[in-house]
Amino acid sequence: MVNFKSIAGIVFFITSAIGDGTTFLDHDKPIEGYGAKSWLKEQIPFIDIPDEVLQSVYYYRWSVTQRHLRYGYPGHGYVMTEFTVPIGYESKLGGLSDAAGHQIYEGRWLRDPGPVEDFFRLWTRGGGNSNQYTHWILKSGLSHAEVTGDTDFLVEQLEGMKHVFEKWKGSYDENAGLYYFTPFYDAQEYSLPSYVWGDEDDLATGPLTYRPSLNAYMVANARAIATVADLAGESETSDNYTSIADDLEKAIMDHLWDPEQKFFVDVITPENPNLEPISGREEVGFYPFRFGIGLEPEYMDPTIDQLYDPEGFNTEFGPPTIETRNQYYHAEKPDDYC
């Protein structure tokens, strides 16, 4: 059974307690090739759709979630790792902020919300390094609560959410009204800004850049805080973060939308006082739309055209990180890089 309630203009879905659930779908065959079958049967929503490839990917994704869900220790609970083996640069207990938004967003459909709430708390209570990489953790936490209906948990995290957001002050340019970071720490190493900037000694990291991705994340995170502040009855906080989000969204439209390329693009910060946009469309130019930015037809239509253009992002194996017509599409990269 699913109930609904609306708070602060957001509809929250309240799921029933964990139990046997429905059994009219086959719960064995779709997961026969995976381990941890008992966990999958207890936790995930089962589907039956005509597209066999899409359905197989769906169950594969849940198997990935299971393999990356780890119990830390009492007092911390569960974490979701980006890698299945320990790596030297991971945050506390194996979490990494670049993957966390995706993991929380997918995990919102698990029948037991506890492990994902543990993981969200890793960031809001200070255990994880939340500005190691760019992220949309706060937005994903709100999305999780919209499914589970656990608004009390979300309100308890409000102060931590504000702390996570404010940690990015050091990467904010008041003159441009935008946040900046290197592509490497946007989880986009060997990106177009690296080749345009031309530092042959550090193509992986790239220059400090105003990116559509990071700034869209920050808009979404600010709006998430505003919504949670509404839930907590803190109207002043809500108004403050709504204003932050509005101003940042305007700066994105003013500086990162290129009317000539008709696309959201990077703007490299060094030696670029006029904020000239980079020449070349990248996959990060799609990111603002995911968070409700630029949904008007004059922005959406030309962007969608590029998605289906073979000289743009329409390739055999899905959209690449840069349009195929760009001179750096075939740029040399290390063979052992992900």
Side-chain angles (χ1 to χ4, degrees), residues 246-321:
D246 289 345
D247 290 345
L248 182 54
E249 185 168 341
K250 182 179 184 303
I252 291 173
M253 303 308 300
D254 288 346
H255 300 303
L256 301 185
W257 174 261
D258 183 7
E260 292 188 9
Q261 299 182 80
K262 299 186 185 308
F263 212 79
F264 287 109
V265 298
D266 280 334
V267 174
I268 295 173
T269 65
E271 301 178 15
N272 189 14
N274 295 325
L275 304 185
E276 295 295 331
I278 203 167
S279 179
R281 302 175 184 88
E282 301 168 86
E283 190 181 32
V284 292
F286 294 105
Y287 289 21
F289 301 106
R290 181 176 189 175
F291 300 102
I293 300 168
L295 298 183
E296 296 80 7
E298 60 263 38
Y299 308 113
M300 286 282 292
D301 291 350
T303 302
I304 292 173
D305 288 344
Q306 293 300 323
L307 185 62
Y308 290 97
D309 186 343
E311 293 187 348
F313 296 87
N314 186 6
T315 71
E316 181 180 359
F317 299 105
T321 57

Side-chain angles (χ1 to χ4, degrees), residues 38-244:
S38 295
W39 184 90
L40 291 170
K41 288 181 179 181
E42 292 171 359
Q43 293 293 339
I44 72 170
F46 279 76
I47 63 172
D48 184 10
I49 58 176
D51 190 324
E52 294 182 1
V53 173
L54 185 59
Q55 180 162 301
S56 68
V57 171
Y58 173 83
Y59 288 109
Y60 169 74
R61 286 299 309 158
W62 281 121
S63 76
V64 170
T65 296
Q66 183 276 322
R67 291 196 297 274
H68 288 264
L69 190 62
R70 307 280 176 81
Y71 187 78
Y73 53 84
H76 268 283
Y78 285 89
V79 297
M80 303 178 85
T81 66
E82 182 174 346
F83 297 90
T84 54
V85 296
I87 55 172
Y89 56 87
E90 64 191 10
S91 187
K92 188 173 184 179
L93 302 179
L96 282 167
S97 57
D98 56 337
H102 302 279
Q103 292 167 322
I104 294 168
Y105 202 69
E106 287 189 343
R108 64 191 168 143
W109 300 109
L110 293 173
R111 301 193 72 200
D112 179 4
V116 175
E117 290 182 348
D118 285 348
F119 186 51
F120 186 65
R121 194 184 292 113
L122 175 71
W123 309 104
T124 59
R125 296 296 170 89
N129 183 2
S130 60
N131 61 342
Q132 180 180 5
Y133 292 94
T134 64
H135 66 80
W136 45 289
I137 291 172
L138 307 183
K139 165 61 177 174
S140 66
L142 174 62
S143 297
H144 183 263
E146 288 171 3
V147 172
T148 67
D150 193 351
T151 56
D152 290 341
F153 169 80
L154 204 58
V155 168
E156 290 171 359
Q157 309 310 310
L158 178 57
E159 290 305 312
M161 292 173 70
K162 289 157 59 177
H163 176 70
V164 168
F165 189 92
E166 298 303 329
K167 285 176 70 175
W168 286 92
K169 277 187 174 179
S171 295
Y172 180 71
D173 183 342
E174 292 185 358
N175 293 323
L178 293 166
Y179 290 86
Y180 57 86
F181 225 37
T182 64
F184 183 95
Y185 290 105
D186 196 30
Q188 292 270 333
E189 51 266 49
Y190 290 95
S191 285
L192 180 60
S194 299
Y195 294 95
V196 171
W197 180 240
D199 183 356
E200 296 292 337
D201 295 328
D202 197 7
L203 287 174
T205 302
L208 292 171
T209 306
Y210 306 114
R211 309 209 82 197
S213 46
L214 167 59
N215 285 280
Y217 298 159
M218 296 303 286
V219 169
N221 285 335
R223 295 204 188 284
I225 294 174
T227 298
V228 177
D230 270 336
L231 293 170
E234 297 187 14
S235 59
E236 185 175 345
T237 298
S238 179
D239 291 345
N240 178 39
Y241 280 92
T242 296
S243 178
I244 289 172

